[in-house]
Amino acid sequence: MTEANKEAQIPQGTVRYRELGPAGGEPIVFVHGLLVNGRLWERVAPLLAENGIRCFLPDWPMGSHLVPMNEDADLGGYGQARNVADFIGGVGLEQATLVGNDSGGAISQIVATEHPEVVSRLILTNCDSFDKFPPAMFGYLKPVSRIPGGIAVLAQSMRIPASRRLPISFGSLSKKRLDGELLAEWVRPLISDGAIRRDAGKFIRGIHPDQTRKAAKKLADFKGPALFPWASEDRFFKLADAERLAEIIPDARVVPIEDAKTFVSLDQPERVAEAIASFVAEKKPAAVG
C-alpha cells in the first residue's frame, strides 16, 4: 500500500490518510492504536474496497504519524475521540462505520459514546476495554512517559531491530512474524522527531481505565449494530472481553477468529474482511442525530 497521500485539516492539526474504494461506497474509518499507523489495515482494506466499501485509513497521532499535531492539542482518550469525530466531518461524511484495534478500539468506544451522531456501526477487533487501558503488560509506558526524556530513551531503544520483536514491544501482538520494514516504519517517527514523541507522550499520559469503564456503561445506549471479529489466541485481549462488550450493546455479535492475536488484521486479513463486508451488507447503519 502506498504512503498516506491525503490530508484532513481538523481543529487540532493535520491528519494524513489513505483512501481506497469507490466514492459512493459505504464509508469505514479505521482507528489503529499506539505506535502503528494506517498500514495495520493494509491487507484488509483492499479486500473491502473490492466489495464496494469506501475505506479511510488515517495515521492517527499516536507515535507513528509523520505530521505533528498542534502544540496545544489534547491527545488523551477524549481528545483522540474528538479527532476521530472531526476527521469524519472533515472528509465530508455525516457518519461512518468505525473499525478499531488495540488502544484504537478504546478510542472507538469513546467516539461511539461521546459522539454517537457520527458512528453508524461499531466494529471492534482485539482492543482495550473496561479495566485495560492500557493492559497491564504495557503499563510501564505510563511512568516512562512522565519522566523527562523517558519517551526519547524508549524510542532510541527501538533503533535495534531485535528490540522491536521483544514481548514488551511488538513481539506478542501477532501470530505471524511482522515484516521488518513495517516495524521500522512504525518506530521511525518516534526515533527521529521530538514533536512526534511529544504527541505520543500526551496520548500515553492521557489515557486511563476510567475512560473505558465509562464508555462501557454508556455503550448500552448505542443505537447502531456492532461486530467483534476477535482473535481467539490473544494474551492481552481475551475472547471473553469481546463477549462482555457484546452483552452490553443491544445489537452486537462476536465472530471468533482462530490462529491470530492482537493484530488480527495482519494475521487473518481474509477472515476479518469477510466478516466486516458481510456485516456492512447485512446491518443497516444507525440514523444520524
Side-chain angles (χ1 to χ4, degrees):
M1 185 178 290
T2 59
E3 290 185 3
N5 57 6
K6 294 188 175 185
E7 293 185 349
Q9 303 301 323
I10 62 174
Q12 297 207 90
T14 299
V15 176
R16 288 188 177 181
Y17 67 99
R18 304 160 184 81
E19 182 180 346
L20 292 81
E26 190 70 27
I28 286 182
V29 173
F30 292 86
V31 188
H32 62 73
L34 178 67
L35 282 185
V36 302
N37 62 15
R39 289 188 62 192
L40 181 73
W41 313 99
E42 66 181 1
R43 299 178 188 173
V44 170
L47 300 175
L48 295 176
E50 290 173 2
N51 281 278
I53 294 173
R54 187 181 183 189
C55 300
F56 293 85
L57 292 81
D59 292 343
W60 299 108
M62 298 185 190
S64 296
H65 56 302
L66 295 176
V67 181
M69 300 299 277
N70 300 340
E71 287 190 20
D72 62 350
D74 173 8
L75 302 180
Y78 293 109
Q80 294 284 8
R82 178 76 262 175
N83 287 338
V84 175
D86 287 338
F87 176 88
I88 290 171
V91 295
L93 303 174
E94 291 187 356
Q95 282 190 319
T97 296
L98 283 190
V99 181
N101 174 261
D102 196 25
S103 47
I107 299 304
S108 298
Q109 294 166 54
I110 297 172
V111 179
T113 52
E114 300 296 323
H115 310 283
E117 70 282 356
V118 304
V119 184
S120 56
R121 305 176 188 85
L122 180 63
I123 301 175
L124 299 178
T125 61
N126 299 61
C127 65
D128 299 66
S129 60
F130 302 107
D131 297 326
K132 301 173 184 175
F133 194 33
M137 188 168 179
F138 294 98
Y140 72 91
L141 293 172
K142 296 279 281 187
V144 167
S145 71
R146 296 190 183 102
I147 299 171
I151 296 292
V153 172
L154 178 67
Q156 295 311 310
S157 72
M158 292 187 181
R159 286 185 178 276
I160 304 169
S163 69
R164 303 164 194 166
R165 301 188 184 278
L166 294 174
I168 59 171
S169 184
F170 296 97
S172 299
L173 298 176
S174 65
K175 188 74 180 289
K176 299 176 182 177
R177 184 177 175 84
L178 291 170
D179 179 74
E181 180 274 328
L182 180 61
L183 289 177
E185 179 177 319
W186 283 346
V187 302
R188 191 176 298 119
L190 196 74
I191 293 171
S192 61
D193 193 327
I196 299 298
R197 293 194 291 273
R198 176 201 68 203
D199 288 355
K202 283 186 179 184
F203 176 65
I204 295 168
R205 291 188 297 273
I207 63 174
H208 193 277
D210 285 348
Q211 298 166 359
T212 39
R213 286 191 286 259
K214 179 182 177 181
K217 291 180 180 178
K218 297 178 72 172
L219 281 173
D221 297 323
F222 181 64
K223 304 302 183 185
L227 176 73
F228 305 107
W230 207 273
S232 58
E233 297 181 39
D234 194 337
R235 65 182 295 187
F236 306 113
F237 311 118
K238 304 292 188 180
L239 193 61
D241 296 336
E243 293 168 344
R244 187 178 171 191
L245 285 166
E247 289 177 357
I248 297 172
I249 300 174
D251 183 2
R253 69 172 181 262
V254 178
V255 177
I257 297 181
E258 298 179 356
D259 198 29
K261 293 185 178 180
T262 306
F263 290 166
V264 60
S265 59
L266 295 177
D267 280 336
Q268 297 294 342
E270 293 84 3
R271 295 181 193 175
V272 173
E274 180 182 5
I276 293 174
S278 298
F279 176 71
V280 169
E282 171 193 349
K283 292 290 186 178
K284 293 182 179 180
V288 175

